[in-house]
Amino acid sequence: MSQPQRIQPRTLKGFRDYLPESMIPREALIDTAKRIYRSYGFSPIDTPALEYLEILTGKGSEETDRQLYRFEDNGGRQVGMRFDLTVPLARFAAQHIGQLGVPFKRYHIATVWRGEAPQRGRFREFMQCDFDTIGTRSATADIETALVIHDLMQAIGFSRFAIRLNHRMVLNGVLERLDLLDRSTQILRTLDKLGKIGPAKVADEMMAAAGMTGDQASEVLKLADLHGSHDTILSALEPLVAGSQIGQEGIARLSEIVAGIRAAGVDSSRVILDVSIARGLDYYTGAIYETFLDDLPKIGSVCSGGRYDNLAGMYTNQDLPGIGASLGLDRLLSGMEELGMIQPVRTPADVLIAYFDRQRLHEYLALAAKLRAAGIGVEVYPDAKKLAAQLKYADQRGFRFALIAGSREFESGMCQLKDMQTGTSIDCSLDDDARAIITAICGDR
RNA sequence: GUGGCUGUAGCUCAGUUGGCUAGAGCAUCAGAUUGUGGCUAUGAGGGUCGGGGGUUCAAGUCCCCUCAGCCACCCCA
């Protein structure tokens, strides 16, 4: 008799399992995002994980094409796994916009795949939480994008964060004045590293990689020296874009957005005009957003996005401008963990009913049903093990309450509701549809 | 894709210039008069030392390859 050949249980590089203790906060975050998106009228959509390869390739840089998971399906078709949610949105919009009408607001929370080198907080399979408004150039949509980010961050539980706002037209205005517009992609990508490598190295790289003169580099870097109130920065920008109509328009647009955000009641310290953020992606054409945590600036932006014109030009003649942003779910979760914002809970239920008295299973099941009907999560322990073991189980999983009812309790019509955190228990009547238990639990919320 | 660092139990690690059946803490499970968890002692399970090859009388330890993780570049969420 030979031992059966065991297969080593393992996951692919850059792919992960999620245990309950990480999945519970993850789902909570996703639920919060959905709630906020929906509160602004964004509707959910979904698209296939697999697309025809031609849909996905050639949309970003060479780099993104290289990172695309691609293969031939069983029918001999060349297919690829979606790399982000924006390209599928473009295809989706080109295909369905006739039925949807504009403006169209959607959110899309789904998994995407990129075959790049994994690092901390970077994986080959990860989730994006996008929301976008397409079919309008209105500044209202730009304002609303910032408001969604703001509300979302607050709903998640952050008070110390800042949304950094910029406009590509301002950047392009500066480049136009310096006659550098033809190299904007390279220059902006370099500028985007400012927070990481500092102005001196950015200047070096601008001269080396984009062939700029030292004067040109320092002109561009003046953007980074602008600090202060929104009005201060906006007026300081004027000379930097002098003579550029694009730049003028960008400034006008930026001030319109800032004014709108303020009118909606957002504390102005939450929105910072940072005309040095550029975002690496070429397709942004207007407002750009990045969101940083005051307490963890080095983890980078946790919610980013911007305006792009001509989203679906590759697929349709219809003119579809849009704006949107994406919550960096994994980055945010690791940040929250670092800040101690995540409770170590391994159960979604509130109460564990101990299976105490072997004869009383049906009473336990009936009681559980009553509590569930009141919206309380309840687990009935499956085995009539000794109470200590069941309480230990409740403790380790993070149940907030244990409900203890043996023959003694049933005889008196009462049960013990034990608060696992404090260790104290209160007696609750079992009569009247367990009303007493329900108020004791819900009153605690 | 390029470069650097790392890889011993589920987790954090020890393991002397290569030398007998590879250890600890935490975690897990079991039991300590079968009605009360977190603390305390007790016991048990769990490792082909990431995998493969080589050098050697002898490899967790040295060499090569490979896989995986971390860091930087690149890019990005």
Side-chain angles (χ1 to χ4, degrees):
Chain A
M1 278 284 283
S2 64
Q3 288 289 326
Q5 186 66 47
R6 291 255 162 67
I7 297 164
Q8 189 198 350
R10 55 183 184 152
T11 51
L12 285 164
K13 183 190 180 79
F15 288 69
R16 315 165 272 170
D17 288 326
Y18 302 96
L19 272 57
E21 63 204 72
S22 55
M23 203 60 196
I24 288 170
R26 194 177 175 79
E27 281 197 351
L29 201 51
I30 291 169
D31 286 346
T32 303
K34 284 184 183 171
R35 197 180 83 234
I36 300 299
Y37 294 163
R38 295 169 84 109
S39 77
Y40 279 80
F42 292 87
S43 299
I45 69 160
D46 202 4
T47 65
L50 286 184
E51 296 271 4
Y52 282 102
L53 195 57
E54 72 210 43
I55 299 286
L56 300 175
T57 49
K59 301 305 176 299
S61 56
E62 263 174 53
E63 181 70 17
T64 61
D65 281 3
R66 209 154 49 87
Q67 294 180 357
L68 203 60
Y69 276 96
R70 56 177 85 193
F71 53 91
E72 187 180 301
D73 75 2
N74 293 342
R77 285 170 284 259
Q78 294 300 312
V79 299
M81 295 173 84
R82 66 178 168 220
F83 173 93
D84 64 12
L85 300 178
T86 306
V87 170
L89 173 62
R91 194 224 81 222
F92 178 96
Q95 209 170 322
H96 304 294
I97 203 68
Q99 298 142 60
L100 296 165
V102 292
F104 173 61
K105 297 165 81 171
R106 73 92 232 230
Y107 70 87
H108 192 179
I109 298 176
T111 306
V112 302
W113 296 269
R114 293 183 191 178
E116 69 175 332
Q119 275 179 39
R120 191 157 73 97
R122 286 172 69 176
F123 308 94
R124 290 184 169 176
E125 178 181 66
F126 61 96
M127 190 162 264
Q128 291 198 322
C129 307
D130 283 24
F131 64 97
D132 288 80
T133 302
I134 60 180
T136 173
R137 289 194 162 75
S138 164
T140 309
D142 299 42
I143 293 163
E144 217 173 61
T145 299
L147 296 178
V148 170
I149 295 173
H150 171 265
D151 288 6
L152 183 52
M153 294 302 288
Q154 272 203 326
I156 293 166
F158 287 105
S159 52
R160 295 173 44 73
F161 67 90
I163 302 168
R164 293 186 173 261
L165 180 61
N166 191 11
H167 205 285
R168 268 284 164 90
M169 291 173 97
V170 172
L171 294 171
N172 285 335
V174 173
L175 297 183
E176 188 182 45
R177 185 171 71 90
L178 300 172
D179 201 24
L180 289 166
L181 213 45
D182 53 325
R183 276 166 277 173
S184 67
T185 300
Q186 179 63 249
I187 295 169
L188 295 182
R189 195 167 283 171
T190 306
L191 181 61
D192 202 45
K193 296 181 189 174
L194 189 67
K196 229 173 171 180
I197 64 176
K201 284 188 174 173
V202 167
D204 289 346
E205 193 171 324
M206 280 176 169
M207 290 186 272
M212 293 163 69
T213 66
D215 286 348
Q216 287 173 323
S218 63
E219 275 297 299
V220 172
L221 281 169
K222 276 188 186 170
L223 291 171
D225 286 331
L226 299 177
H227 299 292
S229 73
H230 300 157
D231 293 337
T232 310
I233 291 176
L234 287 169
S235 50
L237 275 174
E238 297 284 351
L240 293 177
V241 301
S244 163
Q245 203 186 329
I246 301 173
Q248 297 295 338
E249 206 177 321
I251 293 173
R253 192 73 181 213
L254 215 42
S255 57
E256 197 177 353
I257 295 169
V258 167
I261 295 169
R262 209 179 298 158
V266 171
D267 187 330
S268 58
S269 67
R270 291 273 172 71
V271 178
I272 296 175
L273 284 182
D274 181 344
V275 283
S276 67
I277 63 163
R279 304 239 67 215
L281 294 174
D282 318 345
Y283 57 72
Y284 288 118
T285 53
I288 305 170
Y289 306 82
E290 297 206 331
T291 311
F292 292 87
L293 303 178
D294 294 357
D295 298 316
L296 286 176
K298 60 176 191 295
I299 70 169
S301 173
V302 295
C303 192
S304 314
R307 176 171 278 285
Y308 42 83
D309 289 327
N310 198 13
L311 170 73
M314 309 283 286
Y315 314 103
T316 178
N317 286 332
Q318 189 157 358
D319 180 36
L320 286 175
I323 180 166
S326 184
L327 180 70
L329 188 72
D330 289 294
R331 199 175 269 192
L332 196 55
L333 277 168
S334 69
M336 289 170 73
E337 197 170 342
E338 204 169 328
L339 293 173
M341 294 170 70
I342 291 180
Q343 302 306 315
V345 170
R346 289 152 71 192
T347 176
D350 308 293
V351 189
L352 179 77
I353 298 185
Y355 189 173
F356 193 174
D357 186 330
R358 215 169 274 283
Q359 312 304 314
R360 304 282 189 171
L361 176 61
H362 291 182
E363 275 105 324
Y364 297 138
L365 293 173
L367 184 55
K370 286 176 195 166
L371 300 186
R372 288 192 193 109
I376 297 167
V378 187
E379 180 172 340
V380 178
Y381 197 82
D383 299 297
K385 279 214 237 176
K386 45 176 219 186
L387 192 57
Q390 298 190 43
L391 287 172
K392 194 174 175 192
Y393 174 86
D395 181 44
Q396 290 169 332
R397 307 291 149 138
F399 282 91
R400 288 164 50 236
F401 296 100
L403 198 151
I404 301 168
S407 51
R408 216 187 279 160
E409 282 77 11
F410 280 112
E411 274 156 30
S412 62
M414 303 289 277
C415 68
Q416 284 182 54
L417 184 66
K418 179 166 179 137
D419 183 318
M420 296 302 289
Q421 226 124 69
T422 63
T424 57
S425 47
I426 54 169
D427 292 335
C428 291
S429 169
L430 288 165
D431 301 334
D432 194 21
D433 282 336
R435 212 63 257 167
I437 303 172
I438 291 164
T439 42
I441 291 171
C442 295
D444 195 70
R445 276 195 178 143

